Amino acid sequence: MNQSTAVCADIDFEALASNVGLIRQIAGCDKQLIASIKANAYGHSVVPIAQALQDLQVDALATGSLEEAQLLRQHGIVLPILLFAFADTELTIGAATEGFIPTVTHFQMAKAISGSVKSTTPVYLKIDAGLGRLGEPLDSARKWVERIFQLPNLEIEGIYTHLPFSDAKQRDWATQRLQAFDRFVEELKNAGYQFSVTQAMASCCLLARLKDHCNAVCVGHALYGLSPFSWPGSIDVSQLRPVIKNLKSRIIHTSRHAEGSDIAVGGLYGLKRPRTIGVLPTGMAHGLCKPVEGRDMTVLIRGKRAKVLSVSLEHTTVDLDGIEEVTPGDPVTLLGLDGDEEISLSSIADAWGVQPLEALMRMSGRFSVRSMNTSDA
């Protein structure tokens, strides 16, 4: 690990390729694959992930950040980039003129784009099929789509919706909403309105083996080996492979404290026995958090677990008691394997009292990335 870097991540691109293969297998060869790379590729570092996905020949990328889209173009990404609804009309027009594919969520936006561009510009239409967040509600969407098709300078390239669910009780809801969206798209096609891309299913619907008649899927969680489900065991996600294999830091300082010492860190006042403390250059500034009350968090040093005593802005202090000969520069595993021990993303999330994706997002963009193959593990 670069000694100037507080945290370094190993990204397993073989795992990413395996997940893409699984998604294509489940979706079927007739489905286009739109890869969601929003939020810094779900915390995995957007540029190297997008480059790998381009090599894997996904059909398009999708993000909610114009800055990320621009960054990808600067790094040689030539795939179509769909922009989820991300800003007001003015910024959306700017994105369209730069060659990105904007999402239209209301008629005023479509009209403004139509009046601002000088040549035919592709757009996607967003339908609210039941989530209740963005897009034209399904009940009023027929007339809305017809009005947009009448506008000049727009190529209505795609139409899509989003139906996420994380609880088994919502599976039937998603199935019903998928069927409703299918009927809507079929009605539009029968009326002469054609779309190159129709999409409704994301990771949850795909992994739950739901079915639709759309010709594309837009997948995020599953790409990165993350489960979109909050309940265990209901859906088999065992074939997914985590793309982040390791997060590592290092020891920058150790100190030995005699019996009876008062150590404010971790509340160790009046030590009942001698104790050794280690310090990492990694703290809240790097996305780490204190464990919630009643839960412990550990890291791995020399293949052994070391309890986290405190997390401050730029440092984490750990208990080195029972781990021999630790010196500054020794590697520390925050996530991943060290010998026979492992720190999982789920265990970190549990210590923080959040979901695994939220734990990953807290650390997003705060670590350097290096490529690894499974054989390197």
Side-chain angles (χ1 to χ4, degrees):
M1 184 174 68
N2 187 325
Q3 290 298 301
S4 65
T5 304
V7 186
C8 181
D10 290 323
I11 301 295
D12 186 348
F13 291 103
E14 289 182 2
L16 179 66
S18 175
N19 294 336
V20 168
L22 178 64
I23 291 164
R24 284 174 166 151
Q25 176 187 338
I26 297 172
C29 60
D30 59 332
K31 300 274 193 185
Q32 299 179 51
L33 174 54
I34 303 171
S36 177
I37 53 164
K38 63 183 177 181
N40 195 30
Y42 286 58
H44 290 69
S45 193
V46 69
V47 171
I49 291 294
Q51 291 169 334
L53 290 169
Q54 181 165 272
D55 291 341
L56 290 167
Q57 299 182 344
V58 302
D59 296 282
L61 303 175
T63 179
S65 166
L66 178 58
E67 291 77 12
E68 284 185 353
Q70 292 168 332
L71 181 65
L72 295 182
R73 287 288 184 252
Q74 293 167 14
H75 283 81
I77 300 300
V78 297
L79 287 171
I81 299 179
L82 168 67
L83 283 173
F84 298 130
F86 72 100
D88 56 23
T89 297
E90 183 177 352
L91 285 175
T92 303
I93 292 171
T97 60
E98 289 186 44
F100 303 113
I101 306 172
T103 292
V104 170
T105 60
H106 54 82
F107 182 76
Q108 291 81 0
M109 178 181 290
K111 186 176 180 180
I113 296 172
S114 172
S116 300
V117 297
K118 297 180 180 180
S119 58
T120 302
T121 299
V123 299
Y124 277 38
L125 306 184
K126 178 70 178 289
I127 304 298
D128 175 10
L131 180 59
R133 187 171 64 192
L134 289 167
E136 183 70 15
L138 195 57
D139 291 344
S140 57
R142 174 67 182 269
K143 291 184 177 179
W144 181 75
V145 170
E146 291 173 347
R147 291 179 68 197
I148 293 176
F149 262 90
Q150 294 172 7
L151 294 171
N153 297 329
L154 297 184
E155 178 186 352
I156 317 302
E157 186 171 288
I159 188 167
Y160 73 103
T161 192
H162 188 36
L163 298 168
F165 65 97
S166 61
D167 188 278
K169 294 180 292 186
Q170 298 168 329
R171 186 173 180 168
D172 289 343
W173 167 84
T175 299
Q176 294 167 1
R177 295 292 82 207
L178 284 173
Q179 293 171 348
F181 185 72
D182 276 342
R183 289 193 296 269
F184 172 68
V185 172
E186 188 65 24
E187 290 171 3
L188 290 174
K189 289 181 177 179
N190 290 338
Y193 299 101
Q194 299 298 317
F195 308 91
S196 298
V197 177
T198 57
Q199 180 267 316
M201 293 213 301
S203 293
C204 50
C205 293
L206 192 75
L207 294 172
R209 304 308 202 268
L210 303 187
K211 300 295 183 182
D212 69 359
H213 298 301
C214 293
N215 66 8
V217 295
C218 183
V219 180
H221 280 78
L223 280 175
Y224 310 104
L226 300 168
S227 172
F229 305 116
S230 60
W231 80 96
S234 296
I235 302 295
D236 181 13
V237 296
S238 61
Q239 289 180 278
L240 294 176
R241 292 170 54 182
V243 171
I244 285 189
K245 287 295 185 184
N246 299 294
L247 279 176
K248 291 185 180 294
S249 186
R250 66 188 184 280
I251 294 290
I252 60 169
H253 179 79
T254 64
S255 56
R256 182 70 174 171
H257 302 274
E259 181 180 342
S261 299
D262 287 340
I263 303 176
V265 168
L268 300 175
Y269 297 103
L271 293 181
K272 296 181 180 180
R273 53 182 171 80
R275 188 181 294 267
T276 302
I277 302 299
V279 181
L280 288 58
T282 311
M284 297 178 193
H286 309 92
L288 271 64
C289 302
K290 299 176 182 178
V292 298
E293 187 175 355
R295 300 182 189 180
D296 290 334
M297 179 179 175
T298 59
V299 299
L300 300 178
I301 304 171
R302 295 183 176 271
K304 295 184 178 180
R305 292 185 179 271
K307 182 180 177 181
V308 171
L309 297 176
S310 71
V311 180
S312 59
L313 285 178
E314 294 183 331
H315 299 99
T316 293
T317 305
V318 298
D319 184 357
L320 298 180
D321 222 26
I323 307 176
E324 297 180 355
E325 299 180 354
V326 177
T327 60
D330 282 355
V332 178
T333 299
L334 307 174
L335 168 69
L337 283 166
D338 184 357
D340 295 330
E341 294 286 350
E342 180 177 13
I343 305 290
S344 68
L345 182 60
S346 295
S347 68
I348 295 174
D350 183 67
W352 292 349
V354 299
Q355 292 297 313
L357 179 58
E358 185 178 346
L360 190 55
M361 290 309 304
R362 290 184 180 187
M363 297 181 282
S364 174
R366 300 175 181 185
F367 48 76
S368 63
V369 171
R370 70 174 187 176
S371 173
M372 68 169 289
N373 295 318
T374 304
S375 58
D376 299 328

